[in-house]
Amino acid sequence: MMSDTRQILALNRFDNARMDGLDDGLRARLARREATFGAASVLFYERPLELVRGHGAYLYDAAANQYLDMYNNVPSVGHCHPHVVSAIAAQAARLNIHTRYLTRPVEEYAVRLLGHFPAPLTNLAMTCTGSESNDLALRIATAVTGRRGFIVTRAAYHGNTAAVAAISPSSFSGTAVPPHVRLIAAPQADGDVAGRFTAGLRAAIAGLEEAGIGFAALVVDSIFSSDGIFADPAGFLAPALEAVREAGGLFIADEVQPGFGRTGGGLWGFARHGIIPDIVTMGKPMGNGFPMGGVVTRPEFLARFCEETGYFNTFGGNPVAAAAGDAVLDVIEEEGLIANAASTGGLLKQGLEALRAEFPAIGGIRGAGLFIGLDFISRDSGAPDPRMASHVINALKDKFILIGAAGLYGHTLKIRPPLCFAPAHAARFLESLREVLRAS
Amino acid sequence: MMSDTRQILALNRFDNARMDGLDDGLRARLARREATFGAASVLFYERPLELVRGHGAYLYDAAANQYLDMYNNVPSVGHCHPHVVSAIAAQAARLNIHTRYLTRPVEEYAVRLLGHFPAPLTNLAMTCTGSESNDLALRIATAVTGRRGFIVTRAAYHGNTAAVAAISPSSFSGTAVPPHVRLIAAPQADGDVAGRFTAGLRAAIAGLEEAGIGFAALVVDSIFSSDGIFADPAGFLAPALEAVREAGGLFIADEVQPGFGRTGGGLWGFARHGIIPDIVTMGKPMGNGFPMGGVVTRPEFLARFCEETGYFNTFGGNPVAAAAGDAVLDVIEEEGLIANAASTGGLLKQGLEALRAEFPAIGGIRGAGLFIGLDFISRDSGAPDPRMASHVINALKDKFILIGAAGLYGHTLKIRPPLCFAPAHAARFLESLREVLRAS
């Protein structure tokens, strides 16, 4: 069975076999792309989009068309934000070196970033990507617990290294779930969310223990991005943390997607649940596109891991990354982006609720801040309707709005614009979505 | 037993327990570093060095002292090279996005880079680090061969992900060699280098097959950096490739250290041996410090891998990385850095040979281009002398020259300056090394 993320991509990816109707220039570009990137080349849209420029919440194609970006969460404070760009340019011209020498930018950034974490999360390891962050988190959890079993949600995505791909069921394709990995259902949208999620977790822990594998850690994206975005009720992860602690495992909060203000209630998605994880991993928006990631944990956990092997990352913690990361924190503060995520995200959600009253194709609407999932369902059966999601994505592109999908069935519109998204952008999106749904 | 790289680091790292003699300012900096980076903080030198600026082959400390850099191979075309810096700054201000849209800089860079590889190596996957590149290479090899066993040299280092750390014995510390990994001796410095290396390889392949694990790939740094730098005789890897092919395995050339011109005989270390590997991995110098890496392989291998899982790397192949990589290739060509690596590396080696005639502490001298290993040995027994290497490293720092060590015993001075290293720099280094050895 083709799994979800691949299914979603299949619904919203360019198919090399369907070149009809594309002009010669684009066909030549696509042929070159195929010849160089081969089977790993995946492009969005039935007719792939060439981008040449980005600014704020906008992206521009080769014909100078302006697109409103509601998909890309890496350029989180806005495409090519001048403050971040100039910080990168200035530091790249001054010094770019690894962490085996002292450099002030990295050390000051570490102090600043760690200031945004609750005790006892006081140590930082810098990496280059969310994948490297999660890979390191798994190694720390194994060293600390002496056990190998990991639990993740059914459509989770945590990255692309061998170890992390093994806990990313949304990348599985026909391949079996590895024995040391147990999948649990994503949180439900309503009812006793905490109770059902925790019951699934406890059963999975018991399964790992019975199999003699042992339970090392629960790894969750704290807003369940790939599973379809589950944010409410705030606090539903607290009993899960308790269950993890009782079993002597670790709680790894993957903040690669929810982190850095997106949920509108502080910098981290886990804060929404009133919990303090054992390990927090970061990536995507950390440097607004400069490749950087990080792992924050308790000093004794990092020390236990380092007894066995140590950790050094050549590019991780270079001063240019630190300058980018520092500038991102500046912009989040100076432009009030967390408050904006809450208020503009709130407007957006209200507008979507109003559309739901109008269109029976809209099912659940969930989210926090500027991270909202909207389910498309069959008018008759209420069943997930991934083809409608795919249709809406392509139709919105024709209206110069970029957006994507998520969820176990690929029927969830993933609404995830840069955090500089303004009320006027929200109004434009809502109007365009209304037009698309009216014409459907 | 503490393994080599850790032993080398232990010899040349700051020890937190030894704060005596350090001024208050530095002590405060070190305490802050310990409080934030914890057990993963490793600093070079008995008295750690704070760096504030880099330019060409020079680094500058906080007191404006100028150091000649003979250690750092990431800023390979020179620290903060203005052409690379301005390429990064310009592209970061224009567009920084992932590869699911078409972007011209990435596609043009891919064509240019692949133009430097022999057929049938025509596909490129972009990553962010050498570790990610090697991690992906292992996954491709497993998918292609259907087998799990990897063979590496005894003091190899290939990176820091879980999968790659398992094939990096120089990071092992007391931990056992995993069952799917077999270690073979690094090449010898003389005699029948190819014959002995290939015999070790064949025995390891047989061992993996007998154990029912099967042989997936041989992974070698094509200049054996961590093992102590073994370059000659050119061609000694050709019989190894034959043995790999006979056994139905893949040959993975790790070009993270030798790649991009360092060996002075073309862009790649494997070219020195007249071989065409199955997979080539890149990292460190690829973007002169901008975090980027890549994997080049045959289209059918990438396709086989992608059938199972696909590969997407959020930051990998972003246009800023492509701009940095493109600028690095510009500089290598425009400044004739490969020819310089050959000629200045040749001068350096001649000068070191002359020193060997003067100082019995100098044993073997090996290398290619601007990557040279020099062994320190006991005058009496000829045994490896890692303490002498450590002494020389710290004494050269007092003469404002930065350098490091390598090898199974940590007794090999690793001479690896930026490729813009000039004859005058070589003369200064040789004179300083002579003074240090005279005073020893």
PDB file of all heavy atoms in Angstrom, chain A residues 145-171:
ATOM      1  N   THR A 145      18.536   5.504  28.008  1.00  0.00           N
ATOM      2  CA  THR A 145      17.648   4.450  28.511  1.00  0.00           C
ATOM      3  C   THR A 145      18.247   3.055  28.380  1.00  0.00           C
ATOM      4  O   THR A 145      17.772   2.117  29.021  1.00  0.00           O
ATOM      5  CB  THR A 145      16.308   4.440  27.730  1.00  0.00           C
ATOM      6  OG1 THR A 145      16.568   4.103  26.357  1.00  0.00           O
ATOM      7  CG2 THR A 145      15.617   5.789  27.804  1.00  0.00           C
ATOM      8  N   GLY A 146      19.236   2.904  27.514  1.00  0.00           N
ATOM      9  CA  GLY A 146      19.764   1.575  27.230  1.00  0.00           C
ATOM     10  C   GLY A 146      18.785   0.725  26.443  1.00  0.00           C
ATOM     11  O   GLY A 146      18.938  -0.487  26.341  1.00  0.00           O
ATOM     12  N   ARG A 147      17.755   1.363  25.877  1.00  0.00           N
ATOM     13  CA  ARG A 147      16.741   0.602  25.139  1.00  0.00           C
ATOM     14  C   ARG A 147      16.607   1.134  23.719  1.00  0.00           C
ATOM     15  O   ARG A 147      17.079   2.220  23.399  1.00  0.00           O
ATOM     16  CB  ARG A 147      15.417   0.681  25.899  1.00  0.00           C
ATOM     17  CG  ARG A 147      15.552   0.079  27.310  1.00  0.00           C
ATOM     18  CD  ARG A 147      14.215  -0.156  27.981  1.00  0.00           C
ATOM     19  NE  ARG A 147      13.573   1.077  28.387  1.00  0.00           N
ATOM     20  CZ  ARG A 147      13.637   1.629  29.596  1.00  0.00           C
ATOM     21  NH1 ARG A 147      14.355   1.045  30.539  1.00  0.00           N
ATOM     22  NH2 ARG A 147      13.008   2.739  29.874  1.00  0.00           N
ATOM     23  N   ARG A 148      15.929   0.368  22.861  1.00  0.00           N
ATOM     24  CA  ARG A 148      15.961   0.678  21.431  1.00  0.00           C
ATOM     25  C   ARG A 148      14.607   1.039  20.824  1.00  0.00           C
ATOM     26  O   ARG A 148      14.520   1.379  19.651  1.00  0.00           O
ATOM     27  CB  ARG A 148      16.509  -0.526  20.650  1.00  0.00           C
ATOM     28  CG  ARG A 148      17.933  -0.914  21.003  1.00  0.00           C
ATOM     29  CD  ARG A 148      18.373  -2.129  20.183  1.00  0.00           C
ATOM     30  NE  ARG A 148      17.545  -3.298  20.467  1.00  0.00           N
ATOM     31  CZ  ARG A 148      16.762  -3.921  19.598  1.00  0.00           C
ATOM     32  NH1 ARG A 148      16.685  -3.494  18.347  1.00  0.00           N
ATOM     33  NH2 ARG A 148      16.047  -4.971  19.958  1.00  0.00           N
ATOM     34  N   GLY A 149      13.522   0.891  21.580  1.00  0.00           N
ATOM     35  CA  GLY A 149      12.191   1.019  20.992  1.00  0.00           C
ATOM     36  C   GLY A 149      11.688   2.464  20.926  1.00  0.00           C
ATOM     37  O   GLY A 149      11.772   3.209  21.896  1.00  0.00           O
ATOM     38  N   PHE A 150      11.141   2.812  19.768  1.00  0.00           N
ATOM     39  CA  PHE A 150      10.595   4.165  19.596  1.00  0.00           C
ATOM     40  C   PHE A 150       9.131   4.088  19.179  1.00  0.00           C
ATOM     41  O   PHE A 150       8.733   3.186  18.442  1.00  0.00           O
ATOM     42  CB  PHE A 150      11.403   4.947  18.561  1.00  0.00           C
ATOM     43  CG  PHE A 150      12.782   5.277  19.050  1.00  0.00           C
ATOM     44  CD1 PHE A 150      13.872   4.490  18.691  1.00  0.00           C
ATOM     45  CD2 PHE A 150      12.983   6.343  19.914  1.00  0.00           C
ATOM     46  CE1 PHE A 150      15.140   4.771  19.173  1.00  0.00           C
ATOM     47  CE2 PHE A 150      14.247   6.634  20.399  1.00  0.00           C
ATOM     48  CZ  PHE A 150      15.335   5.852  20.028  1.00  0.00           C
ATOM     49  N   ILE A 151       8.366   5.050  19.642  1.00  0.00           N
ATOM     50  CA  ILE A 151       6.942   5.124  19.322  1.00  0.00           C
ATOM     51  C   ILE A 151       6.670   6.452  18.620  1.00  0.00           C
ATOM     52  O   ILE A 151       7.105   7.510  19.089  1.00  0.00           O
ATOM     53  CB  ILE A 151       6.097   4.995  20.609  1.00  0.00           C
ATOM     54  CG1 ILE A 151       6.355   3.619  21.257  1.00  0.00           C
ATOM     55  CG2 ILE A 151       4.604   5.185  20.298  1.00  0.00           C
ATOM     56  CD1 ILE A 151       5.731   3.455  22.632  1.00  0.00           C
ATOM     57  N   VAL A 152       5.969   6.349  17.491  1.00  0.00           N
ATOM     58  CA  VAL A 152       5.613   7.549  16.711  1.00  0.00           C
ATOM     59  C   VAL A 152       4.171   7.411  16.228  1.00  0.00           C
ATOM     60  O   VAL A 152       3.591   6.322  16.272  1.00  0.00           O
ATOM     61  CB  VAL A 152       6.544   7.731  15.489  1.00  0.00           C
ATOM     62  CG1 VAL A 152       7.973   8.012  15.919  1.00  0.00           C
ATOM     63  CG2 VAL A 152       6.502   6.507  14.570  1.00  0.00           C
ATOM     64  N   THR A 153       3.619   8.512  15.744  1.00  0.00           N
ATOM     65  CA  THR A 153       2.245   8.455  15.222  1.00  0.00           C
ATOM     66  C   THR A 153       2.230   7.916  13.782  1.00  0.00           C
ATOM     67  O   THR A 153       3.247   7.915  13.093  1.00  0.00           O
ATOM     68  CB  THR A 153       1.583   9.837  15.279  1.00  0.00           C
ATOM     69  OG1 THR A 153       2.458  10.791  14.695  1.00  0.00           O
ATOM     70  CG2 THR A 153       1.290  10.233  16.721  1.00  0.00           C
ATOM     71  N   ARG A 154       1.052   7.495  13.381  1.00  0.00           N
ATOM     72  CA  ARG A 154       0.904   6.680  12.166  1.00  0.00           C
ATOM     73  C   ARG A 154       1.366   7.366  10.879  1.00  0.00           C
ATOM     74  O   ARG A 154       1.816   6.698   9.961  1.00  0.00           O
ATOM     75  CB  ARG A 154      -0.558   6.245  12.036  1.00  0.00           C
ATOM     76  CG  ARG A 154      -0.767   5.134  11.034  1.00  0.00           C
ATOM     77  CD  ARG A 154      -2.005   4.312  11.371  1.00  0.00           C
ATOM     78  NE  ARG A 154      -1.810   3.522  12.572  1.00  0.00           N
ATOM     79  CZ  ARG A 154      -2.800   3.142  13.388  1.00  0.00           C
ATOM     80  NH1 ARG A 154      -4.048   3.501  13.139  1.00  0.00           N
ATOM     81  NH2 ARG A 154      -2.536   2.409  14.449  1.00  0.00           N
ATOM     82  N   ALA A 155       1.192   8.676  10.783  1.00  0.00           N
ATOM     83  CA  ALA A 155       1.621   9.377   9.560  1.00  0.00           C
ATOM     84  C   ALA A 155       2.741  10.357   9.854  1.00  0.00           C
ATOM     85  O   ALA A 155       2.922  11.356   9.164  1.00  0.00           O
ATOM     86  CB  ALA A 155       0.440  10.093   8.917  1.00  0.00           C
ATOM     87  N   ALA A 156       3.542  10.042  10.870  1.00  0.00           N
ATOM     88  CA  ALA A 156       4.606  10.963  11.282  1.00  0.00           C
ATOM     89  C   ALA A 156       5.692  11.074  10.220  1.00  0.00           C
ATOM     90  O   ALA A 156       5.942  10.144   9.451  1.00  0.00           O
ATOM     91  CB  ALA A 156       5.233  10.481  12.590  1.00  0.00           C
ATOM     92  N   TYR A 157       6.313  12.248  10.183  1.00  0.00           N
ATOM     93  CA  TYR A 157       7.540  12.427   9.408  1.00  0.00           C
ATOM     94  C   TYR A 157       8.551  13.125  10.299  1.00  0.00           C
ATOM     95  O   TYR A 157       8.282  14.210  10.824  1.00  0.00           O
ATOM     96  CB  TYR A 157       7.293  13.260   8.141  1.00  0.00           C
ATOM     97  CG  TYR A 157       8.570  13.435   7.359  1.00  0.00           C
ATOM     98  CD1 TYR A 157       9.069  12.385   6.593  1.00  0.00           C
ATOM     99  CD2 TYR A 157       9.314  14.610   7.433  1.00  0.00           C
ATOM    100  CE1 TYR A 157      10.271  12.506   5.904  1.00  0.00           C
ATOM    101  CE2 TYR A 157      10.519  14.736   6.739  1.00  0.00           C
ATOM    102  CZ  TYR A 157      10.987  13.685   5.988  1.00  0.00           C
ATOM    103  OH  TYR A 157      12.182  13.809   5.313  1.00  0.00           O
ATOM    104  N   HIS A 158       9.718  12.496  10.477  1.00  0.00           N
ATOM    105  CA  HIS A 158      10.731  13.114  11.328  1.00  0.00           C
ATOM    106  C   HIS A 158      12.061  13.343  10.617  1.00  0.00           C
ATOM    107  O   HIS A 158      12.988  13.865  11.222  1.00  0.00           O
ATOM    108  CB  HIS A 158      10.934  12.288  12.602  1.00  0.00           C
ATOM    109  CG  HIS A 158       9.711  12.232  13.478  1.00  0.00           C
ATOM    110  ND1 HIS A 158       9.247  13.332  14.166  1.00  0.00           N
ATOM    111  CD2 HIS A 158       8.832  11.235  13.744  1.00  0.00           C
ATOM    112  CE1 HIS A 158       8.137  13.001  14.837  1.00  0.00           C
ATOM    113  NE2 HIS A 158       7.862  11.745  14.592  1.00  0.00           N
ATOM    114  N   GLY A 159      12.167  12.945   9.336  1.00  0.00           N
ATOM    115  CA  GLY A 159      13.398  13.260   8.624  1.00  0.00           C
ATOM    116  C   GLY A 159      13.894  12.149   7.735  1.00  0.00           C
ATOM    117  O   GLY A 159      13.197  11.154   7.510  1.00  0.00           O
ATOM    118  N   ASN A 160      15.126  12.322   7.226  1.00  0.00           N
ATOM    119  CA  ASN A 160      15.579  11.490   6.122  1.00  0.00           C
ATOM    120  C   ASN A 160      16.847  10.682   6.347  1.00  0.00           C
ATOM    121  O   ASN A 160      17.354  10.072   5.402  1.00  0.00           O
ATOM    122  CB  ASN A 160      15.742  12.371   4.872  1.00  0.00           C
ATOM    123  CG  ASN A 160      16.763  13.477   5.107  1.00  0.00           C
ATOM    124  OD1 ASN A 160      17.722  13.290   5.852  1.00  0.00           O
ATOM    125  ND2 ASN A 160      16.570  14.631   4.500  1.00  0.00           N
ATOM    126  N   THR A 161      17.421  10.665   7.555  1.00  0.00           N
ATOM    127  CA  THR A 161      18.566   9.767   7.752  1.00  0.00           C
ATOM    128  C   THR A 161      18.031   8.344   7.919  1.00  0.00           C
ATOM    129  O   THR A 161      16.833   8.138   8.140  1.00  0.00           O
ATOM    130  CB  THR A 161      19.385  10.129   9.002  1.00  0.00           C
ATOM    131  OG1 THR A 161      18.602   9.860  10.169  1.00  0.00           O
ATOM    132  CG2 THR A 161      19.806  11.592   8.986  1.00  0.00           C
ATOM    133  N   ALA A 162      18.933   7.359   7.847  1.00  0.00           N
ATOM    134  CA  ALA A 162      18.501   5.961   7.974  1.00  0.00           C
ATOM    135  C   ALA A 162      17.722   5.757   9.268  1.00  0.00           C
ATOM    136  O   ALA A 162      16.634   5.175   9.272  1.00  0.00           O
ATOM    137  CB  ALA A 162      19.716   5.028   7.925  1.00  0.00           C
ATOM    138  N   ALA A 163      18.252   6.245  10.385  1.00  0.00           N
ATOM    139  CA  ALA A 163      17.612   6.019  11.679  1.00  0.00           C
ATOM    140  C   ALA A 163      16.289   6.770  11.782  1.00  0.00           C
ATOM    141  O   ALA A 163      15.320   6.264  12.360  1.00  0.00           O
ATOM    142  CB  ALA A 163      18.545   6.457  12.812  1.00  0.00           C
ATOM    143  N   VAL A 164      16.231   7.942  11.237  1.00  0.00           N
ATOM    144  CA  VAL A 164      15.035   8.776  11.363  1.00  0.00           C
ATOM    145  C   VAL A 164      13.975   8.353  10.344  1.00  0.00           C
ATOM    146  O   VAL A 164      12.772   8.387  10.626  1.00  0.00           O
ATOM    147  CB  VAL A 164      15.398  10.272  11.247  1.00  0.00           C
ATOM    148  CG1 VAL A 164      14.157  11.131  11.260  1.00  0.00           C
ATOM    149  CG2 VAL A 164      16.323  10.677  12.400  1.00  0.00           C
ATOM    150  N   ALA A 165      14.410   7.925   9.160  1.00  0.00           N
ATOM    151  CA  ALA A 165      13.451   7.396   8.187  1.00  0.00           C
ATOM    152  C   ALA A 165      12.722   6.189   8.768  1.00  0.00           C
ATOM    153  O   ALA A 165      11.540   5.971   8.479  1.00  0.00           O
ATOM    154  CB  ALA A 165      14.158   7.029   6.882  1.00  0.00           C
ATOM    155  N   ALA A 166      13.422   5.427   9.620  1.00  0.00           N
ATOM    156  CA  ALA A 166      12.805   4.238  10.227  1.00  0.00           C
ATOM    157  C   ALA A 166      11.675   4.607  11.188  1.00  0.00           C
ATOM    158  O   ALA A 166      10.825   3.773  11.487  1.00  0.00           O
ATOM    159  CB  ALA A 166      13.863   3.402  10.950  1.00  0.00           C
ATOM    160  N   ILE A 167      11.655   5.849  11.684  1.00  0.00           N
ATOM    161  CA  ILE A 167      10.547   6.281  12.550  1.00  0.00           C
ATOM    162  C   ILE A 167       9.657   7.290  11.821  1.00  0.00           C
ATOM    163  O   ILE A 167       8.953   8.071  12.462  1.00  0.00           O
ATOM    164  CB  ILE A 167      11.034   6.857  13.900  1.00  0.00           C
ATOM    165  CG1 ILE A 167      11.901   8.115  13.689  1.00  0.00           C
ATOM    166  CG2 ILE A 167      11.796   5.819  14.716  1.00  0.00           C
ATOM    167  CD1 ILE A 167      11.928   9.050  14.884  1.00  0.00           C
ATOM    168  N   SER A 168       9.692   7.272  10.501  1.00  0.00           N
ATOM    169  CA  SER A 168       8.881   8.197   9.694  1.00  0.00           C
ATOM    170  C   SER A 168       7.941   7.417   8.784  1.00  0.00           C
ATOM    171  O   SER A 168       8.194   7.280   7.585  1.00  0.00           O
ATOM    172  CB  SER A 168       9.792   9.102   8.866  1.00  0.00           C
ATOM    173  OG  SER A 168      10.547   9.947   9.697  1.00  0.00           O
ATOM    174  N   PRO A 169       6.845   6.898   9.332  1.00  0.00           N
ATOM    175  CA  PRO A 169       5.964   6.048   8.529  1.00  0.00           C
ATOM    176  C   PRO A 169       5.410   6.744   7.288  1.00  0.00           C
ATOM    177  O   PRO A 169       5.049   6.072   6.325  1.00  0.00           O
ATOM    178  CB  PRO A 169       4.843   5.662   9.507  1.00  0.00           C
ATOM    179  CG  PRO A 169       5.002   6.552  10.692  1.00  0.00           C
ATOM    180  CD  PRO A 169       6.431   6.967  10.738  1.00  0.00           C
ATOM    181  N   SER A 170       5.375   8.073   7.286  1.00  0.00           N
ATOM    182  CA  SER A 170       4.862   8.732   6.085  1.00  0.00           C
ATOM    183  C   SER A 170       5.815   8.564   4.910  1.00  0.00           C
ATOM    184  O   SER A 170       5.445   8.843   3.774  1.00  0.00           O
ATOM    185  CB  SER A 170       4.581  10.216   6.348  1.00  0.00           C
ATOM    186  OG  SER A 170       5.771  10.926   6.509  1.00  0.00           O
ATOM    187  N   SER A 171       7.059   8.101   5.158  1.00  0.00           N
ATOM    188  CA  SER A 171       7.975   7.797   4.043  1.00  0.00           C
ATOM    189  C   SER A 171       7.981   6.319   3.683  1.00  0.00           C
ATOM    190  O   SER A 171       8.637   5.940   2.726  1.00  0.00           O
ATOM    191  CB  SER A 171       9.423   8.163   4.390  1.00  0.00           C
ATOM    192  OG  SER A 171       9.531   9.423   4.934  1.00  0.00           O
TER     193      SER A 171
END
